Amino acid sequence: MAAHLKKRVCEEFTKVVQQQQEEIATKKLRLTKPTPSPADALQYLLQFARKPVEAESVEGVVRILLEHCYKDNDPSVRLKIASLLGLLSKKCKGFSPDCIMDDAINILQNEKSHRVLAQLLDTLLAIGTKLPENQAIQMGLVDVACKHLTDTSPGVRNKCLQLLGNLGSLETSVTKDGEGLAVRDVQKIIGDYFSDQDPRVRRAAIKAMLQLHERGLKLHQAIYNQACKLLSDECEQVRSAAVQLLWAISQLYPESAVPIPFSNEEIRLVDDAFGAICPVVSDGSWVVRVQAAKLLGSMEQVSFHFLERTLDKKLMSDLRRKRTTRERAEELYRSGEFSSGRKWGGDAPKEEIDTGAVNLMESGACGAFVPGLEDEMYEVRIAAVEALCMLAQSSPSFVEKCRPDFPVDMFNDEIEEVRLQSIHSMRKISKNITLREDQLGTLMEVLEVSGKSASNPGASFGARAPEHPCIFWPS
């Protein structure tokens, strides 16, 4: 019995060993190449960006980057690859980036990340800028930009508008298939985005239009009305760019006739633009105020009566002097026409204003430089002084109207830069002006106080009350 059990145990043990040996024999070893993580890939790309690339190896490097851009699933890695492609297209000499344009467009069509899309569009812009003479590439890139203008991302729309501004043209061009001529009204496409819901896109559209102007393409006069509406935009960057666009159109069509709202009269476009920019000197943003003041000084073709109104210190309302509250109250008291409140509309103004007789453009220019010279920001005051000097140099009649009153008053400014700019402005127009006795006293006072400040650094400017009537000194 014991021998039988021993034999049975040995048989089972032998079978088990043979089965395990058979399983081990059938197993195969598989060696897999470890794939780098997105963090490692980004680190490799950053190290590559710091190293110079030889001219003969640029094309091979670009091909490797494109291959990884097709395969990699991480958006951050694709974003960095797209950035490197644009960098290589810009800076590598002897490398023609037209060989990678088709691959970049294919990646662009299949890309889902908005950040990568925007970077790829920037790369395409670098390719188009490097090849300005290749008309087929220029047209292909403009078509790509037009297709992606409907993207939901403001960053993508910004890049598309930037591409249109740098590469768009108004000339007829042959299509890729050669069947006929294709004409794109680039200005009409860009102008449609002046009313975009995102202020960054609106600003990009204006900048794209200005880029067309800088490239020598003549802007349409129809854009003028759109630019005027953008002066009241809620975004200060949009208002600043709109002032530049308005100025550019006024220089292209200075003598064109523009109808006055609520009137049958017409006005020169440059005068109308001058009247539209003048209220911007009182804008809520000091950056916009500086921009408006500088551009007003360069509008040399404006009529004299518009320039004359910019120095009017009277408080105007519809081109009529506005009486103070005290003056109106005294008149009502003397006439006994105070409203008792029992009659509806008893306190309504008796004088009816005809809106058709009000010249809105002329009223916009009234006293435009007065708030600029009294602005709380010294940058605005400097820009206003420079603008007055430029206009005075271009118009002798304006010098007689302006006289040295405003520059002389600015000699007493608390900021040294403003005082220096006023002195430089007076020097430029000194040949056409004659100082009065009180104004000469102001100049002597400034020299005297400046001399004391130089001898005593601790003394501040205007440390004592002046003796002449041109400077206001509180009692």
Side-chain angles (χ1 to χ4, degrees), residues 274 278 281 293 296-297 307 309-311 365-374 383-385 387-388 391 398 406:
F274 187 83
C278 279
V281 180
L296 285 177
L307 296 177
R309 293 182 183 278
T310 59
L311 303 175
C366 288
F369 282 117
V370 175
L373 294 171
E374 300 175 354
V385 172
L388 275 176
L391 292 175
F398 185 66
F406 292 96

Side-chain angles (χ1 to χ4, degrees), residues 234-251:
E234 61 182 6
C235 178
E236 65 176 79
Q237 289 84 4
V238 176
R239 296 195 302 272
S240 179
V243 172
Q244 300 178 42
L245 181 60
L246 202 66
W247 177 87
I249 299 176
S250 69
Q251 302 305 302

Side-chain angles (χ1 to χ4, degrees), residues 349-398:
K350 295 183 178 180
E351 182 185 5
E352 295 183 0
I353 299 176
D354 184 10
T355 57
V358 176
N359 194 331
L360 298 180
M361 292 293 98
E362 292 184 0
S363 62
C366 288
F369 282 117
V370 175
L373 294 171
E374 300 175 354
D375 197 272
E376 62 179 350
M377 303 297 295
Y378 78 92
E379 294 90 349
V380 181
R381 299 198 297 274
I382 290 176
V385 172
E386 291 178 350
L388 275 176
C389 178
M390 294 174 65
L391 292 175
Q393 287 179 304
S394 62
S395 176
S397 302
F398 185 66

Side-chain angles (χ1 to χ4, degrees), residues 1 26 80 91 97 127 163 174 209 272 289 334 369 403 441:
M1 184 67 180
T26 57
K80 187 59 182 178
K91 297 186 175 182
I127 295 174
L163 199 148
V174 182
M209 199 71 73
D272 188 82
R289 297 198 299 271
R334 292 172 183 174
F369 282 117
R403 298 176 182 177

Side-chain angles (χ1 to χ4, degrees), residues 27-38:
K27 289 182 179 180
K28 296 181 180 180
L29 294 177
R30 296 181 181 179
L31 298 177
T32 58
K33 185 178 181 180
T35 57
S37 63

Side-chain angles (χ1 to χ4, degrees), residues 328-344:
R328 293 197 300 267
E330 289 180 356
E331 183 180 353
L332 289 174
Y333 178 76
R334 292 172 183 174
S335 62
E337 295 181 357
F338 274 104
S339 175
S340 62
R342 296 180 180 179
K343 184 179 179 181
W344 176 261

Side-chain angles (χ1 to χ4, degrees), residues 65-83 85 102-124 144 147-148 151-153 156:
L65 291 175
L66 286 173
E67 181 180 355
H68 283 280
C69 193
Y70 275 113
K71 296 180 180 180
D72 205 294
N73 296 324
D74 190 82
S76 59
V77 176
R78 297 198 303 274
L79 178 66
K80 187 59 182 178
I81 292 176
S83 175
L85 290 174
D102 293 336
D103 291 307
I105 293 177
N106 291 333
I107 297 173
L108 186 72
Q109 293 175 349
N110 300 322
E111 185 58 51
K112 302 300 181 183
S113 173
H114 294 301
R115 294 178 59 192
V116 181
L117 277 173
Q119 186 59 56
L120 286 171
L121 288 169
D122 191 69
T123 300
L124 292 177
V144 171
K147 291 178 182 178
H148 289 82
D151 196 276
T152 57
S153 172
V156 176

